């Protein structure tokens, strides 16, 4: 069921007229309605208008685009960055720039659909390796005769909440001369020191050639980006079709808001600390009452149900109890692996989390999940 959200994203929202604890949004740091971001967006609206109405390569850049890209590069520890209209556009744009017909891609079997679509658009051959299985990846790389090889993985997997072993994958890529691409959409603002991401969490700055990410999750805005060397960004700017052929690149108001979010995260990690405190509290309480939260180690906490119809019934019942958490089912996950996906935020209070756990217990007992 698709419901209408009537308030900004936060720890609680009004959804179809009902106030509910919000466990469905990727608003990890609670920045989606932060007054600082709203003020930055309003100022840019007054200065630059609503939108550019053509590709940036045609009408030029607004100053806020360059400012955001420089600050993103500093945040990620790379030479340069380029912002896109979405994280999806970043992935489907950069992959065909990196590889083409006759090249080989190695992709984790649980990678995000945007990476999969980028593989298809590239016309390179794609080899799928077992989820987070470094030995399987190395074996497949050793058997590959293609000269140009690209290994790609999500950093934080959005359905299970687990983290890819980026350090071990980087070692394998270096042994086999492969380019390494990491999609850190669910890690930026969440993982690593000052929320700088999963690459920073593993201390791999300089060893990952391509990073992609989202401005629509922890940063609270919208858009996506590619970060890497200046040479890479120069190629992407003129070669990524999702960048050069869009008449609606990231609006200047959103670029200004995203830059403000970056500054807030970089100067104060209190939201990141609170996010992880909330994650620990919720996950520990859910496990203590008997729910299976799978292999998650991040603020993405799935409640494993299995049966798809039961997961949908549980999600609907939770809404009636004042908790909004979506049922995730096939084709987003394998058949028989349905779950209620809960996403924690720094915006949640302990009262919100207690309310959510209590509702899960009531519904779980009623539906005989517990």
């Amino acid at each position: 069921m698709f419901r209408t959200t009537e308030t900004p994203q936060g720890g609680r929202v009004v959804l179809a007229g009902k106030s509910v604890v919000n466990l469905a949004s990727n608003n990890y740091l609670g920045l989606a309605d932060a007054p600082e971001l709203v003020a930055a967006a309003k100022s840019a609206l007054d200065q630059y208008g609503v939108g550019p109405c053509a590709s940036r390569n045609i009408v030029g850049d607004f100053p806020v685009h360059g400012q955001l890209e420089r600050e993103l590069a500093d945040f990620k520890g790379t030479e340069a960055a380029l912002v896109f209209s979405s994280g999806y556009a970043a992935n489907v744009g950069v992959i065909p720039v990196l590889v083409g017909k006759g090249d080989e891609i190695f992709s984790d079997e649980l990678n995000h659909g945007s990476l999969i679509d980028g593989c298809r658009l590239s016309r390179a051959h794609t080899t799928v390796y077992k989820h987070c299985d470094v030995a399987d990846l190395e074996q497949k790389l050793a058997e590959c005769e293609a000269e140009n090889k690209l290994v790609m993985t999500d950093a934080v997997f959005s359905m299970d909440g687990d983290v890819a072993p980026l350090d071990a994958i980087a070692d394998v890529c270096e042994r086999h001369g492969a380019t390494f691409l990491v999609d850190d959409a669910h890690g930026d603002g969440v993982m690593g020191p000052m929320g700088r991401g999963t690459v920073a969490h593993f201390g791999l700055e300089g060893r990952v050639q391509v990073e992609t990410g989202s401005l629509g999750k922890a940063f609270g805005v919208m858009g996506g980006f590619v970060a890497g060397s200046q040479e890479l960004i120069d190629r992407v700017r003129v070669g990524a079709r999702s960048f050069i052929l869009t008449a609606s690149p990231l609006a200047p108001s959103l670029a200004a808001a995203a830059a403000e979010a970056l500054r807030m995260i970089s100067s104060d990690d209190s939201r990141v600390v609170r996010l992880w405190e909330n994650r620990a509290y919720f996950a520990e309480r859910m496990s203590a009452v008997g729910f299976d939260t799978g292999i998650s180690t991040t603020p993405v906490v799935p409640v494993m149900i299995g049966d798809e119809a039961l997961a949908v019934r549980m999600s609907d019942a939770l809404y009636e109890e004042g908790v909004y958490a979506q049922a995730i089912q096939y084709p987003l996950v394998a058949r028989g692996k349905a779950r209620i996906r809960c996403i924690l935020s720094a915006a949640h209070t302990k009262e919100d989390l207690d309310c959510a756990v209590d509702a899960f217990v009531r519904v779980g007992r009623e539906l005989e999940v517990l």
Side-chain angles (χ1 to χ4, degrees):
M1 179 185 296
F2 298 101
R3 301 181 177 94
T4 300
T5 304
E6 301 168 22
T7 55
Q9 291 298 309
R12 284 182 174 267
V13 292
V14 175
L15 195 66
K18 185 180 180 69
S19 176
V20 292
V21 176
N22 183 14
L23 293 176
S25 171
N26 297 310
N27 184 26
Y28 290 113
L29 299 182
L31 290 172
D33 64 344
E36 297 92 337
L37 272 65
V38 174
K42 286 180 178 178
S43 177
L45 277 171
D46 290 339
Q47 187 169 3
Y48 302 115
V50 177
C53 301
S55 165
R56 283 173 58 188
N57 287 3
I58 298 296
V59 298
D61 299 331
F62 288 103
V64 289
H65 289 131
Q67 181 179 8
L68 172 59
E69 287 163 351
R70 288 189 296 273
E71 293 185 17
L72 270 171
D74 288 343
F75 184 76
K76 299 301 296 179
T78 62
E79 289 182 354
L82 186 70
V83 295
F84 285 71
S85 57
S86 69
Y88 180 93
N91 280 335
V92 299
V94 69
I95 294 170
V97 173
L98 298 170
V99 289
K101 191 173 182 180
D103 299 329
E104 190 80 20
I105 299 171
F106 298 85
S107 178
D108 188 289
E109 65 180 331
L110 296 187
N111 272 346
H112 190 265
S114 58
L115 291 175
I116 295 170
D117 287 354
C119 293
R120 293 167 176 163
L121 288 170
S122 75
R123 297 190 299 168
H125 183 267
T126 300
T127 295
V128 176
Y129 65 90
K130 296 175 184 176
H131 179 52
C132 290
D133 190 328
V134 178
D136 186 51
L137 170 62
E138 180 144 39
Q139 179 181 342
K140 288 176 165 59
L141 275 166
E143 296 169 352
C144 176
E145 296 181 358
E147 183 174 345
N148 190 19
K149 300 179 283 291
L150 174 66
V151 173
M152 61 175 61
T153 183
D154 286 12
V156 175
F157 289 87
S158 61
M159 295 297 139
D160 288 297
D162 57 329
V163 178
L166 299 188
D167 48 354
I169 296 175
D171 290 342
V172 169
C173 288
E174 289 167 357
R175 284 196 292 271
H176 294 274
T179 299
F180 190 13
L181 182 154
V182 172
D183 179 351
D184 208 12
H186 288 268
D188 285 327
V190 174
M191 301 289 292
M194 304 298 290
R196 292 183 181 275
T198 316
V199 171
H201 168 75
F202 282 100
L204 297 175
E205 295 92 335
R207 297 181 62 194
V208 175
Q209 288 75 44
V210 188
E211 285 193 65
T212 62
S214 170
L215 300 172
K217 296 180 173 62
F219 298 116
V221 192
M222 68 168 287
F225 64 90
V226 176
S229 68
Q230 186 64 60
E231 185 271 337
L232 167 70
I233 298 306
D234 289 344
R235 289 169 56 202
V236 173
R237 170 134 196 179
V238 298
R241 292 170 68 84
S242 58
F243 181 85
I244 62 179
L245 299 180
T246 180
S248 54
L250 194 66
S253 57
L254 297 173
E260 182 62 28
L262 269 174
R263 293 182 205 111
M264 292 175 66
I265 298 168
S266 299
S267 63
D268 179 7
D269 68 349
S270 61
R271 289 176 183 264
V272 178
V273 171
R274 188 159 64 250
L275 167 65
W276 282 96
E277 289 174 347
N278 284 346
R279 189 270 172 202
Y281 183 79
F282 179 79
E284 288 168 7
R285 280 213 60 194
M286 290 292 283
S287 296
V289 298
F291 284 108
D292 177 6
T293 57
I295 58 175
S296 170
T297 58
T298 68
V300 178
V301 180
V303 179
M304 307 304 293
I305 304 299
D307 182 80
E308 287 151 352
L310 180 59
V312 172
R313 287 175 58 202
M314 188 166 184
S315 177
D316 289 341
L318 284 167
Y319 173 76
E320 296 302 322
E321 292 286 336
V323 175
Y324 184 50
Q326 281 281 30
I328 305 295
Q329 56 187 314
Y330 181 84
L332 291 177
V333 294
R335 293 189 189 278
K337 298 288 187 180
R339 76 282 310 267
I340 306 294
R341 185 176 66 168
C342 302
I343 300 178
L344 282 302
S345 170
H348 288 128
T349 64
K350 288 293 189 296
E351 291 76 15
D352 293 334
L353 301 180
D354 286 337
C355 175
V357 174
D358 292 345
F360 265 98
V361 170
R362 290 193 298 272
V363 171
R365 288 173 178 166
E366 178 183 340
L367 298 180
E368 299 183 348
V369 173
L370 280 181

